[in-house]
Amino acid sequence: MLRMGEVNEIDHQAMQHMLTSGAIDWHGFGAQIAREADALLGGDKATLIIDESGFAKKGEASAGVARQWNGRLGKVDNCQVGVFANLCRDSMASLIDAHLYLPEHWANDSDRCNKAAIPEAHQRYQSKCEIALSMIEKALQHGVRFGYVAIDAGYGKDAAFLRGVDNLGCTFVADVHCKQMIYLEDPAPHIPDWNGRGRRPTHMKAQSEAIRVDQWASEQPDTAWRHIKLREGEKGALEAQYLHTLVWVWDGTEPQARRWHLLVRREIGAREISHYCLSNAPFETPLQRLAQVQAQRFFIEHSFREAKSECGMADYQVRRWDAWHHHMALVMLATLFLVKQKMQGREQWPMLSVNDLVTALAHMLPRRQLTAEELAEIIHKRHQRRSSAKQSSVRQNRALE
């Protein structure tokens, strides 16, 4: 959408104050976005995709900022990290929820939290997987309809998280790490009988041996790989090769192992494996369907790119916890609007993109041309604000000396 700098005579300060305004029902605002996204994209064929995105930041005052992994940059950097939920059907997707991750050292520093206006209820550590699980629960509470939850390996590696999604009654397809342990036979865990010597056993033990998923995959013949068409892309059909079997997964504490699908993916013409996945889908679910859901995770990355390049997702100058979430709510509203327009326009323009729509809006929305005097006044006010900010910073630094 048009950024603030592209709109004549905008009151930037008022825009910033709006993000911290208590006069707006931001909770209801987010719920409405979820409901409208469901009306547009929801249903049994929809997928709820969970992932995170980083936002590079300077300084230490912004809520949750820390040296942590920034997937956008592919390295550890000073940044904020948000966990996001994306509703996707076919090739259309829209972000429907966002939650700022608060590192543990932030949660343990109440003074720092208070300065960043983090509500007391959120001044506690939650892992990204705990945040993601609560977002799935919230989506269900808002009535969002989806057939699957798609999860990347950063979350799929957490066995407790996958069990949590399973316990919610949701069907998932989750990437896992190559060292994920599986059982090819039911481990039938139980506490060994006591033979009268030593301490009485108290921990359950598996009755079969576990192996890593990459070990299992390496032992499969070339004839076991199946060629799957995933979807039509702009450059033609997207295809990949998959291995598939049913395995048991046991965390060492549950009374019974869970029997899930194992998928292994490699790209056409490649020897290296790109993805290992687990799914709790019904046993009769076709591999074609599971593979297509696994491939849909592409669309949340696509949503991030469009939101950052076209809707100003990363273009914010706020430090407060509430302002970050309110900014993301506005971004989600903008992306939902653009997805609606794209769906409506695709019949006439099959290749219509979000960038096309933003370009059209920039040319079609009326904007009054500025006179030389008005332009000079705008620049003068900008310089006054910059000068004031500089003087404020100098005063703060002197106070710290």
Side-chain angles (χ1 to χ4, degrees), residues 303-318:
S303 292
F304 287 149
R305 285 194 296 271
E306 289 187 330
K308 289 180 178 180
S309 63
E310 309 298 345
C311 299
M313 186 181 191
D315 302 332
Y316 56 88
Q317 298 177 5
V318 295

Side-chain angles (χ1 to χ4, degrees), residues 59-72:
E60 300 179 350
S62 298
V65 71
R67 286 195 60 78
Q68 52 193 327
W69 178 257
N70 185 334
R72 185 184 186 190

